Amino acid sequence: METAQMLKQVVENVEKVIIGKREAIELALCSFLCQGHVLIEDMPGVGKTSLVSAIAKSFDCSFKRIQFTPDILPSDITGFSMYKQKTGEFEYYQGAIMSQIILADEINRTSPKTQSSLLEVMEENQVTVDGKTYSVPQPFIVFATQNPIEYLGTYPLPEAQLDRFFMRISLGYPTPEQESQMLSRFKNESPIKSLVAVATTKDLLQAQKEVGEIHVETSINDYIVNVVNNTRNNPDIALGASPRASICLYKAAQANALYNQRDYVTPDDVIKMTIPVLEHRLVFKQETRLKRLSVRDVIENSIKAVRVPL
């Protein structure tokens, strides 16, 4: 499949910058194929910004990085209208969101009011300013980052905001061998500067269209619903996954099948995507924390509790 080959080339291109993190790159790419937004939760300095920038360069997409701080305003994101005395009319001035790939850096450092300015554009690919709607350029995706252990001066994302993210990924620290290779590669300058596009936005839009054409059996539909429904009836979970999560898991499985050169979804596609898609959507009960269970453990138990279709 030509599309699958193109996607492999993109992954290999990004790996010129991000070393040893193929799975995270593939997950980010699958989200892009599904027009879904990504929450990258990781330590500072592991390559979150480089990952997003490398993906943007690989597809020759426009890219903007927004540094979220407590004083940033919603109008900085969505844009604003200004009265023009010459014409006697209000003119729209674009905000930072008007780009194909957005890096919302440290999104939890800005106020809830500013965080909420992203809700409409992440769901509907448009912003509304003074009663008028403006579409964002396509393809469009928001990559948001946050530090998982630093809480001082932050505003945790509410569940409604978290549910807008298609999946959550993490890069993690490199191995000593990978870090040594990284030092050699960054000897003179960052390889991101010499990175060139290996695909076009037209290729990406075509791939997004092909994701929807991947066949999904009814038994796989039922399997996805049962896995998600299991999180709602789990005694350890206060807030289970939403119907939006079911749709995201369905699409993610399709994207994984396309990436692996198949025109149909298997249970393995669903299993692989379940943790990245569901992990950030679940809320534990207070007593569950005393059991020292992780969200990943609970999801894995939910998967094991559901019969895999043959």
Side-chain angles (χ1 to χ4, degrees), residues 18-74:
I18 306 298
I19 299 170
K21 302 299 176 183
R22 175 167 281 243
E23 184 179 1
I25 297 169
E26 290 173 345
L27 289 173
L29 190 55
C30 283
S31 291
F32 208 173
L33 292 178
C34 299
Q35 304 176 57
H37 310 290
V38 182
L39 179 63
I40 309 176
E41 196 170 88
D42 223 323
M43 305 297 177
V46 295
K48 300 186 291 292
T49 302
S50 297
L51 169 65
V52 181
S53 180
I55 291 175
K57 282 200 169 188
S58 296
F59 283 112
D60 197 23
C61 289
S62 57
F63 168 65
K64 284 185 182 177
R65 177 179 177 270
I66 307 172
Q67 183 63 54
F68 279 85
T69 55
D71 60 343
I72 196 169
L73 300 173

Side-chain angles (χ1 to χ4, degrees), residues 152-210:
L152 187 64
T154 64
Y155 303 86
L157 295 176
E159 282 68 33
Q161 181 86 29
L162 286 171
D163 202 37
R164 293 294 200 285
F165 286 101
F166 189 83
M167 66 171 64
R168 181 173 70 179
I169 65 174
S170 176
L171 294 174
Y173 290 122
T175 64
E177 294 78 13
Q178 291 167 352
E179 196 161 1
S180 178
Q181 185 181 351
M182 187 186 305
L183 295 178
S184 298
R185 194 171 294 185
F186 281 75
K187 180 180 179 181
N188 295 317
E189 63 177 15
S190 172
I192 193 73
K193 294 182 179 180
S194 58
L195 207 65
V196 297
V198 295
T200 65
T201 53
K202 184 178 179 181
D203 294 329
L204 178 57
L205 291 170
Q206 177 61 30
Q208 289 178 339
K209 181 181 178 182
E210 290 181 21

Side-chain angles (χ1 to χ4, degrees), residues 14-292:
V14 175
E15 283 187 314
K16 294 177 181 177
V17 179
I18 306 298
I19 299 170
K21 302 299 176 183
R22 175 167 281 243
E23 184 179 1
I25 297 169
E26 290 173 345
L27 289 173
L29 190 55
C30 283
S31 291
F32 208 173
L33 292 178
C34 299
Q35 304 176 57
H37 310 290
V38 182
L39 179 63
I40 309 176
E41 196 170 88
D42 223 323
M43 305 297 177
V46 295
K48 300 186 291 292
T49 302
S50 297
L51 169 65
V52 181
S53 180
I55 291 175
K57 282 200 169 188
S58 296
F59 283 112
D60 197 23
C61 289
S62 57
F63 168 65
K64 284 185 182 177
R65 177 179 177 270
I66 307 172
Q67 183 63 54
F68 279 85
T69 55
D71 60 343
I72 196 169
L73 300 173
S75 58
D76 296 325
I77 308 300
T78 61
F80 57 92
S81 296
M82 182 178 288
Y83 181 73
K84 302 291 288 186
Q85 198 167 16
K86 287 185 178 180
T87 61
E89 296 179 349
F90 282 90
E91 184 176 337
Y92 172 66
Y93 287 81
Q94 292 185 354
I97 203 67
M98 288 297 175
S99 189
Q100 290 170 319
I101 295 183
I102 298 294
L103 174 61
D105 208 5
E106 295 187 292
I107 190 173
N108 58 332
R109 287 203 171 277
T110 195
S111 67
K113 182 178 181 180
T114 303
Q115 288 176 8
S116 65
S117 68
L118 290 169
L119 291 175
E120 180 186 9
V121 71
M122 290 175 67
E123 186 70 19
E124 302 175 35
N125 287 343
Q126 66 180 33
V127 294
T128 302
V129 178
D130 294 333
K132 292 185 179 181
T133 59
Y134 304 91
S135 298
V136 293
Q138 295 297 317
F140 175 76
I141 184 173
V142 173
F143 288 91
T145 71
Q146 63 178 8
N147 187 328
I149 63 169
E150 192 173 356
Y151 298 106
L152 187 64
T154 64
Y155 303 86
L157 295 176
E159 282 68 33
Q161 181 86 29
L162 286 171
D163 202 37
R164 293 294 200 285
F165 286 101
F166 189 83
M167 66 171 64
R168 181 173 70 179
I169 65 174
S170 176
L171 294 174
Y173 290 122
T175 64
E177 294 78 13
Q178 291 167 352
E179 196 161 1
S180 178
Q181 185 181 351
M182 187 186 305
L183 295 178
S184 298
R185 194 171 294 185
F186 281 75
K187 180 180 179 181
N188 295 317
E189 63 177 15
S190 172
I192 193 73
K193 294 182 179 180
S194 58
L195 207 65
V196 297
V198 295
T200 65
T201 53
K202 184 178 179 181
D203 294 329
L204 178 57
L205 291 170
Q206 177 61 30
Q208 289 178 339
K209 181 181 178 182
E210 290 181 21
V211 168
E213 297 170 355
I214 299 297
H215 178 69
V216 184
E217 288 282 353
T218 304
S219 59
I220 300 292
N221 280 4
D222 295 337
Y223 181 55
I224 291 171
V225 170
N226 290 336
V227 168
V228 173
N229 192 58
N230 192 276
T231 67
R232 301 169 190 163
N233 300 315
N234 193 307
D236 292 320
I237 298 175
L239 180 66
S242 66
R244 183 189 282 121
S246 299
I247 296 171
C248 291
L249 185 53
Y250 180 96
K251 291 181 177 179
Q254 285 181 304
N256 192 61
L258 177 66
Y259 180 77
N260 287 286
Q261 304 185 39
R262 280 184 278 105
D263 59 2
Y264 60 91
V265 171
T266 68
D268 286 339
D269 293 318
V270 178
I271 292 170
K272 179 179 178 180
M273 293 297 177
T274 298
I275 290 177
V277 171
L278 299 188
E279 191 174 17
H280 61 291
R281 304 174 191 269
L282 307 182
V283 178
F284 270 173
K285 292 181 178 177
Q286 282 295 109
E287 54 269 27
T288 304
R289 304 180 190 280
L290 301 176
K291 299 179 183 179
R292 295 186 178 180

